[in-house]
Amino acid sequence: MKRTLLGILAIVIAIVWVFPVYWMLNSSLLPSVVLEQTTPTLLPIGGSLKNFASVTEDGSFFQALGISLAVAGLAVACCLIFAFLAALAISRFRFKGRRSFVLAVLFIQMLPAEGMFIAQYKLMGSLGLLNSVIGVSIIYIAAVVPFTIWMLRGFVAGVPADLEEAAMVDGLSRTQAFLRITFPLLAPGLVASGVYAFLQAWNEFTVALVILQDTETQTLPLWLRGFIQQSSSRAIDWGEVMAASTLVAVPVIIFFLFVQGRMTSGLVSGAVKG
Amino acid sequence: MSTGAPPRPRRPLRRLLTPYTLLLPAVLIVLLALGYPIVWQFITSMQHFGLAQQFGQPPEWVWFDNYITLFSNPETWLVVGRSVAFCLVTAAVTMAFGIGLALLMQAVSTPIRITLQIALLLAWATPVVAAMTIWNWIFDWRRGFVNWLLTNLGIPSQGHNWLQDPLSFFAVALIIVVWMSVPFAAFAIYAGLTQVSDEVLEAAQLDGASPWQRVRFIIIPIIKPVIGIVMLLQIIWDLRVFAQIKLLQDRGSIASQTDVLGTFIYKLGVGSSDFAMASAMSIFVLLLTIALSWAYVRNLLKEDES
């Protein structure tokens, strides 16, 4: 009896929590005439993909998509390479300053963009990298690389060095042993870290808002914000806005489901920026 | 490392330098994108940065004058107080929901638990900007779902704008931030709960412990470290709610009455190009974050060593 009641409570909470996401999908399929009615339509019956067509019509979506892909791609690639090398250093070598480095890695990832974006804006201004994919990527790489190091460090440490040494006894050089034995075993860690870095760069808003002020170079979050901002004077076409949100959110949701398990344990034992 | 190897003259130096070479790219990019800005901000916060400086005049060194000006302004304290209050209330509500939902996940059958987990995951995965757009629509004053629901429940609120009044503005912000943050808290605490062994709980039940006593004296002490760390993270994150507040302000609320630390810095720096004041405020936010993070980092290092 009590278990049934708790079950009902859990279902109610699940419905409340999923409602906003459902509401986005529902509204994205409905024409504005229907959304303008006083009583909301709870199911997208008679809905169509028209909103999606009109949102993607003027090409600004694809432009923003291109910028977002470039920024995220650059951030993921550099982040993985840099973090991988650093993770190797701290889990395979003992050296002076190692402990301070680990401490710094943990601290740096807690630094908020909200406390630094003014200086980053001035820095990019003086480097001539305002409104540039490279400028914003540099900041993303620096922001994500500490967590990626921490995450990969666990993976590298999980591959016993004995394996490499055994291969070296068999006549491989240290580098060869590493590339043939250890590297393949790290693939899952690299994928997880890569997806994490991708999501961070893809979703980032604060730094992008400050550095990418030109509409030609906006990322998807900025493009989405533009909908509400431009239209605050006139009535918003919520159907189109929700279609835009869906386009931004759905790829992220799918990617996120892949790394979720690792994120939770990573967050508790390794810290991540929200 | 390898100890029995005969001494080779060239190898040791190379091996000594290898780790530093490997660290170099990561260190360089962090120094450029985070290190330099912090130093610049620190220096700028002690300089006078006015209109003349924007046209290239060398800035004047004023030591702590900016901090004094900033913190003798009552508006600064309003912003700080607002941010801290919002952060603490949001973190507390998030933790209450997180613990509650984690316990609930354990109490219900597997299919129901998975349903709840999927719902939470979807909320967690939604990008901040998309989530804010959805919530702006749900709270829209003309055709928003919330106003319709409340009106049908007998609270006439058709046409009520929740974002106009600062108090209800922050209530909306609280609902949104809690909605976004609870999934992580619930999952993390649930992961901690699964560490509590069934045998211990059964033994306690046989000894006559009530469900509440089992929660209070067995479950809570075991998951206390997880709760501590999740709460600390929530406080750190909720102190820096920039995107959420900024995107709610976009819908036409009075920004001066709803500014928090992040939006205040944005207004000072990007809005009025007062880089000295913006830097002083940023340094304050950084110090606040570092003070909070310190406990967290110490905890992690301890765990890492054991």
Side-chain angles (χ1 to χ4, degrees), chain B residues 229-275:
Chain B
I229 224 162
V230 173
M231 182 140 85
L232 193 58
L233 281 174
Q234 290 301 339
I235 291 176
I236 293 169
W237 292 337
D238 290 345
L239 201 57
R240 48 167 96 148
V241 281
F242 174 79
Q244 293 91 331
I245 302 295
K246 180 90 190 125
L247 291 164
L248 278 181
Q249 285 180 346
D250 278 353
R251 286 293 287 142
S253 69
I254 307 154
S256 61
Q257 290 174 13
T258 51
D259 268 332
V260 291
L261 293 168
T263 57
F264 190 58
I265 295 172
Y266 183 83
K267 199 164 74 177
L268 286 173
V270 181
S272 35
S273 298
D274 190 347
F275 294 111

Coordinates of all heavy atoms in Angstrom, one line a residue, chain B residues 229-275:
Chain B
I229 N 29.6 17.0 -0.1 CA 30.2 17.5 -1.3 C 29.2 18.0 -2.3 O 29.5 19.0 -3.0 CB 31.1 16.3 -1.9 CG1 32.4 16.9 -2.3 CG2 30.4 15.6 -3.0 CD1 33.5 15.8 -2.5
V230 N 28.1 17.4 -2.4 CA 27.0 17.8 -3.4 C 26.5 19.2 -3.0 O 26.4 20.1 -3.8 CB 25.9 16.8 -3.5 CG1 24.7 17.4 -4.3 CG2 26.3 15.5 -4.1
M231 N 26.4 19.4 -1.7 CA 25.9 20.7 -1.2 C 26.9 21.8 -1.5 O 26.5 22.9 -1.9 CB 25.6 20.6 0.3 CG 25.0 21.9 0.9 SD 23.8 21.6 2.0 CE 24.7 21.4 3.5
L232 N 28.2 21.5 -1.2 CA 29.2 22.5 -1.5 C 29.2 22.9 -3.0 O 29.3 24.1 -3.3 CB 30.5 21.9 -1.1 CG 31.7 22.9 -1.0 CD1 31.4 24.0 0.0 CD2 32.9 22.2 -0.5
L233 N 29.1 21.9 -3.8 CA 29.1 22.2 -5.3 C 27.9 23.0 -5.6 O 28.0 23.9 -6.4 CB 29.1 20.9 -6.1 CG 30.4 20.2 -6.2 CD1 30.2 18.8 -6.9 CD2 31.4 21.0 -7.0
Q234 N 26.7 22.7 -5.0 CA 25.5 23.5 -5.3 C 25.7 24.9 -5.0 O 25.3 25.8 -5.7 CB 24.3 22.9 -4.6 CG 23.8 21.6 -5.1 CD 23.4 21.6 -6.5 OE1 23.1 22.6 -7.1 NE2 23.4 20.4 -7.2
I235 N 26.3 25.1 -3.8 CA 26.5 26.5 -3.3 C 27.4 27.3 -4.3 O 27.1 28.4 -4.7 CB 27.1 26.5 -1.9 CG1 26.0 26.0 -0.9 CG2 27.5 27.9 -1.5 CD1 26.4 25.9 0.5
I236 N 28.5 26.6 -4.7 CA 29.4 27.2 -5.6 C 28.7 27.5 -6.9 O 28.9 28.6 -7.5 CB 30.7 26.3 -5.8 CG1 31.5 26.2 -4.6 CG2 31.5 26.9 -7.0 CD1 32.6 25.2 -4.6
W237 N 28.0 26.6 -7.4 CA 27.3 26.8 -8.7 C 26.2 27.9 -8.6 O 26.0 28.7 -9.6 CB 26.7 25.5 -9.3 CG 27.8 24.5 -9.7 CD1 29.1 24.8 -10.0 CD2 27.6 23.1 -9.7 NE1 29.7 23.6 -10.3 CE2 28.9 22.6 -10.1 CE3 26.6 22.2 -9.5 CZ2 29.1 21.2 -10.3 CZ3 26.8 20.9 -9.7 CH2 28.1 20.4 -10.1
D238 N 25.4 27.8 -7.6 CA 24.3 28.7 -7.5 C 24.7 30.2 -7.2 O 24.0 31.1 -7.4 CB 23.3 28.3 -6.3 CG 22.6 27.0 -6.7 OD1 22.7 26.7 -7.9 OD2 22.0 26.3 -5.9
L239 N 26.0 30.3 -6.8 CA 26.5 31.7 -6.6 C 26.8 32.4 -7.9 O 26.9 33.6 -8.0 CB 27.8 31.6 -5.8 CG 28.3 32.8 -5.0 CD1 27.2 33.3 -4.1 CD2 29.5 32.5 -4.3
R240 N 26.9 31.5 -8.9 CA 27.3 32.1 -10.2 C 26.2 31.9 -11.3 O 26.5 31.5 -12.4 CB 28.7 31.5 -10.7 CG 28.7 30.0 -10.6 CD 29.9 29.4 -11.3 NE 31.0 29.2 -10.5 CZ 31.9 28.2 -10.7 NH1 31.7 27.4 -11.7 NH2 32.9 28.1 -9.9
V241 N 25.0 32.1 -10.9 CA 23.9 31.9 -11.9 C 23.9 33.2 -12.8 O 23.2 34.1 -12.5 CB 22.6 31.8 -11.2 CG1 22.4 30.4 -10.7 CG2 22.4 32.7 -10.1
F242 N 24.6 33.1 -13.9 CA 24.6 34.3 -14.8 C 23.6 34.1 -15.9 O 22.7 34.9 -16.1 CB 26.0 34.5 -15.4 CG 26.1 35.5 -16.4 CD1 26.1 36.9 -16.1 CD2 26.1 35.2 -17.8 CE1 26.1 37.9 -17.0 CE2 26.1 36.2 -18.7 CZ 26.1 37.5 -18.4
A243 N 23.8 33.0 -16.6 CA 22.9 32.7 -17.8 C 21.5 32.8 -17.4 O 20.6 33.4 -18.1 CB 23.3 31.4 -18.4
Q244 N 21.1 32.1 -16.3 CA 19.7 32.0 -16.0 C 19.1 33.4 -15.7 O 18.0 33.7 -16.2 CB 19.5 31.1 -14.7 CG 19.9 29.7 -14.9 CD 21.3 29.4 -14.6 OE1 22.2 30.2 -14.8 NE2 21.6 28.2 -14.2
I245 N 19.8 34.2 -14.9 CA 19.3 35.5 -14.5 C 19.3 36.4 -15.8 O 18.3 37.1 -16.0 CB 20.1 36.1 -13.4 CG1 20.1 35.2 -12.2 CG2 19.6 37.5 -13.0 CD1 18.8 35.0 -11.5
K246 N 20.4 36.4 -16.5 CA 20.5 37.3 -17.7 C 19.3 37.0 -18.7 O 18.7 37.9 -19.2 CB 21.8 37.0 -18.4 CG 22.1 37.8 -19.6 CD 22.7 39.2 -19.3 CE 22.7 40.1 -20.5 NZ 22.1 41.4 -20.3
L247 N 19.1 35.7 -18.9 CA 18.0 35.3 -19.9 C 16.6 35.6 -19.4 O 15.7 35.8 -20.2 CB 18.2 33.8 -20.2 CG 19.5 33.6 -21.1 CD1 19.8 32.1 -21.1 CD2 19.3 34.1 -22.5
L248 N 16.4 35.6 -18.0 CA 15.1 36.1 -17.5 C 15.0 37.6 -17.6 O 13.9 38.1 -17.9 CB 15.0 35.6 -16.1 CG 14.5 34.2 -15.8 CD1 14.4 34.0 -14.3 CD2 13.2 33.9 -16.4
Q249 N 16.1 38.3 -17.4 CA 16.1 39.7 -17.5 C 15.8 40.2 -18.9 O 15.1 41.2 -19.2 CB 17.4 40.3 -17.1 CG 17.7 40.3 -15.6 CD 19.0 40.9 -15.2 OE1 19.9 41.1 -16.1 NE2 19.2 41.2 -14.0
D250 N 16.2 39.3 -19.9 CA 15.9 39.7 -21.3 C 14.5 39.8 -21.6 O 14.1 40.5 -22.5 CB 16.4 38.5 -22.2 CG 17.9 38.6 -22.5 OD1 18.5 39.7 -22.1 OD2 18.5 37.7 -23.1
R251 N 13.6 39.2 -20.8 CA 12.2 39.2 -21.0 C 11.6 40.5 -20.4 O 10.4 40.6 -20.3 CB 11.5 38.0 -20.4 CG 11.7 36.8 -21.2 CD 11.0 36.8 -22.6 NE 9.6 36.7 -22.5 CZ 8.7 37.4 -23.3 NH1 9.2 38.3 -24.1 NH2 7.4 37.3 -23.2
G252 N 12.4 41.5 -20.1 CA 11.9 42.8 -19.8 C 11.6 43.1 -18.3 O 10.7 43.8 -18.0
S253 N 12.4 42.5 -17.4 CA 12.2 42.9 -16.0 C 13.2 44.0 -15.7 O 14.0 44.4 -16.6 CB 12.6 41.7 -15.1 OG 14.0 41.5 -15.2
I254 N 13.0 44.7 -14.6 CA 13.8 45.8 -14.3 C 15.2 45.3 -13.8 O 15.3 44.8 -12.7 CB 13.2 46.7 -13.2 CG1 11.8 47.0 -13.7 CG2 14.0 47.9 -12.9 CD1 10.8 47.3 -12.5
A255 N 16.2 45.4 -14.6 CA 17.5 44.8 -14.3 C 18.1 45.3 -13.0 O 18.7 44.5 -12.3 CB 18.5 45.0 -15.5
S256 N 18.0 46.5 -12.7 CA 18.7 47.1 -11.5 C 18.1 46.5 -10.2 O 18.8 46.5 -9.2 CB 18.5 48.6 -11.5 OG 17.2 48.9 -11.4
Q257 N 16.9 45.9 -10.3 CA 16.4 45.3 -9.1 C 16.6 43.8 -9.0 O 16.2 43.2 -8.0 CB 14.9 45.6 -9.0 CG 14.6 47.1 -8.7 CD 13.1 47.4 -8.7 OE1 12.3 46.5 -8.7 NE2 12.8 48.7 -8.7
T258 N 17.1 43.2 -10.1 CA 17.3 41.8 -10.1 C 18.7 41.4 -10.4 O 19.0 40.2 -10.6 CB 16.4 41.2 -11.2 OG1 16.6 41.9 -12.4 CG2 14.9 41.3 -10.9
D259 N 19.6 42.3 -10.3 CA 21.0 42.0 -10.7 C 21.6 41.1 -9.6 O 21.4 41.3 -8.4 CB 21.9 43.3 -10.8 CG 21.9 43.7 -12.2 OD1 21.8 42.9 -13.1 OD2 22.1 45.0 -12.4
V260 N 22.4 40.1 -10.0 CA 23.2 39.3 -9.1 C 24.7 39.5 -9.5 O 25.0 40.3 -10.4 CB 22.9 37.8 -9.3 CG1 21.5 37.5 -8.7 CG2 22.9 37.3 -10.7
L261 N 25.6 38.8 -8.8 CA 27.0 39.1 -9.0 C 27.4 39.1 -10.5 O 28.0 40.1 -11.0 CB 27.9 38.1 -8.3 CG 27.8 38.2 -6.8 CD1 28.4 37.0 -6.1 CD2 28.4 39.5 -6.2
G262 N 27.1 38.1 -11.2 CA 27.5 38.0 -12.6 C 26.9 39.1 -13.5 O 27.6 39.7 -14.3
T263 N 25.6 39.3 -13.4 CA 25.0 40.3 -14.3 C 25.5 41.7 -13.9 O 25.6 42.6 -14.7 CB 23.5 40.3 -14.2 OG1 23.0 40.4 -12.9 CG2 22.9 39.0 -14.7
F264 N 25.8 41.9 -12.6 CA 26.3 43.2 -12.1 C 27.7 43.5 -12.8 O 28.0 44.6 -13.3 CB 26.5 43.2 -10.6 CG 26.8 44.5 -10.0 CD1 25.9 45.6 -10.2 CD2 27.9 44.7 -9.2 CE1 26.2 46.8 -9.6 CE2 28.1 45.9 -8.6 CZ 27.3 47.0 -8.8
I265 N 28.6 42.5 -12.8 CA 29.9 42.6 -13.5 C 29.7 42.9 -15.0 O 30.3 43.7 -15.5 CB 30.7 41.4 -13.3 CG1 31.1 41.2 -11.8 CG2 32.0 41.4 -14.1 CD1 31.7 39.9 -11.5
Y266 N 28.8 42.2 -15.6 CA 28.5 42.3 -17.0 C 28.1 43.8 -17.3 O 28.5 44.4 -18.2 CB 27.4 41.4 -17.4 CG 27.1 41.4 -18.9 CD1 27.9 40.7 -19.8 CD2 26.0 42.1 -19.4 CE1 27.6 40.7 -21.1 CE2 25.7 42.2 -20.7 CZ 26.5 41.5 -21.6 OH 26.2 41.5 -22.9
K267 N 27.2 44.3 -16.4 CA 26.7 45.7 -16.6 C 27.9 46.7 -16.4 O 28.0 47.6 -17.2 CB 25.6 45.9 -15.6 CG 24.7 47.1 -15.9 CD 23.4 47.1 -15.1 CE 23.7 47.5 -13.7 NZ 22.5 47.6 -12.9
L268 N 28.7 46.5 -15.4 CA 29.8 47.4 -15.2 C 30.8 47.3 -16.3 O 31.2 48.4 -16.8 CB 30.5 47.0 -13.9 CG 29.9 47.4 -12.5 CD1 30.7 46.8 -11.4 CD2 29.7 48.9 -12.3
G269 N 31.1 46.1 -16.7 CA 32.2 46.0 -17.7 C 31.8 46.2 -19.1 O 32.2 47.1 -19.8
V270 N 30.8 45.3 -19.6 CA 30.4 45.4 -21.0 C 29.4 46.6 -21.2 O 29.5 47.2 -22.2 CB 29.7 44.0 -21.4 CG1 29.3 44.1 -22.8 CG2 30.7 42.9 -21.1
G271 N 28.6 46.8 -20.2 CA 27.6 47.9 -20.4 C 28.2 49.3 -20.3 O 28.0 50.1 -21.2
S272 N 28.9 49.6 -19.2 CA 29.4 50.9 -19.1 C 30.9 51.0 -19.2 O 31.5 52.1 -18.8 CB 28.9 51.6 -17.8 OG 28.8 50.6 -16.7
S273 N 31.6 50.0 -19.6 CA 33.1 50.0 -19.8 C 33.9 50.5 -18.6 O 34.9 51.1 -18.8 CB 33.4 50.9 -21.0 OG 32.9 50.3 -22.2
D274 N 33.3 50.3 -17.4 CA 34.1 50.7 -16.2 C 34.9 49.4 -15.8 O 34.5 48.7 -14.9 CB 33.1 51.1 -15.1 CG 33.8 51.7 -14.0 OD1 35.1 51.6 -13.9 OD2 33.2 52.3 -13.1
F275 N 36.1 49.2 -16.5 CA 36.8 48.0 -16.3 C 37.4 47.9 -14.9 O 37.6 46.8 -14.4 CB 37.9 47.9 -17.4 CG 37.3 47.7 -18.7 CD1 37.4 48.7 -19.7 CD2 36.5 46.5 -19.0 CE1 36.8 48.5 -20.9 CE2 35.9 46.4 -20.2 CZ 36.1 47.4 -21.2

